[in-house]
Amino acid sequence: MPAKKYVVKLKAAERGQLLRRLRGGEWQVRKATRAQILLSADEGRRQEDIAGGVHCSRGTVQRVCQRYCEGGLAAALEERPRPGGQVKLTPRIEAHLVALACSHAPTAARAGPCSCWPTDWSV
């Protein structure tokens, strides 16, 4: 078996911070999973065992350990930007949709069937 490329050695302050935050229950699930991975890796557990214990892939364990070794605790815990598509709504159209959704619907007697839907979307 090859030697581990990224060996996690938490400082006492980092380990205490992770344990306090995990006990407090104030983290998102992804951050809590990453914290559990780091704590387990610091104890010297194998990546396969860690992955089984926190219900994630071995690749996730490896990436979290790599990010800790290369960038520290904050880099390992925080989300990285994800690629996404272009924004499809302009701010003006988005504001119009929010106003439309938050406004009171007209009564059926006054408006008629389906007349509450706008026919001109060119705002």
Side-chain angles (χ1 to χ4, degrees):
M1 181 177 213
K4 287 183 188 178
K5 189 172 182 180
Y6 300 103
V7 178
V8 174
K9 295 290 181 196
L10 293 172
K11 297 176 183 120
E14 292 173 332
R15 185 172 187 77
Q17 176 188 357
L18 291 176
L19 289 170
R20 276 191 309 278
R21 299 285 298 268
L22 280 172
R23 286 188 191 123
E26 57 193 54
W27 264 349
Q28 298 169 335
V29 174
R30 287 184 182 154
K31 271 191 183 180
T33 300
R34 292 184 193 119
Q36 290 170 337
I37 289 170
L38 290 173
L39 289 169
S40 296
D42 185 50
E43 293 170 357
R45 294 191 181 147
R46 293 180 31 232
Q47 289 182 350
E48 294 83 8
D49 298 335
I50 297 170
V54 298
H55 306 290
C56 69
S57 70
R58 186 173 165 264
T60 299
V61 174
Q62 194 169 3
R63 280 189 301 276
V64 170
C65 293
Q66 177 182 355
R67 287 171 60 184
Y68 174 78
C69 291
E70 292 176 352
L73 185 61
L77 294 176
E78 295 300 322
E79 292 279 331
R80 285 186 172 172
R82 296 176 184 212
Q86 295 286 330
V87 176
K88 293 176 176 60
L89 297 176
T90 65
R92 183 176 171 201
I93 292 176
E94 183 179 359
H96 178 72
L97 287 174
V98 169
L100 183 66
C102 294
S103 65
H104 293 289
T107 61
R110 189 183 82 200
C114 297
S115 65
C116 62
W117 291 102
T119 55
D120 180 24
W121 289 92
S122 62
V123 183

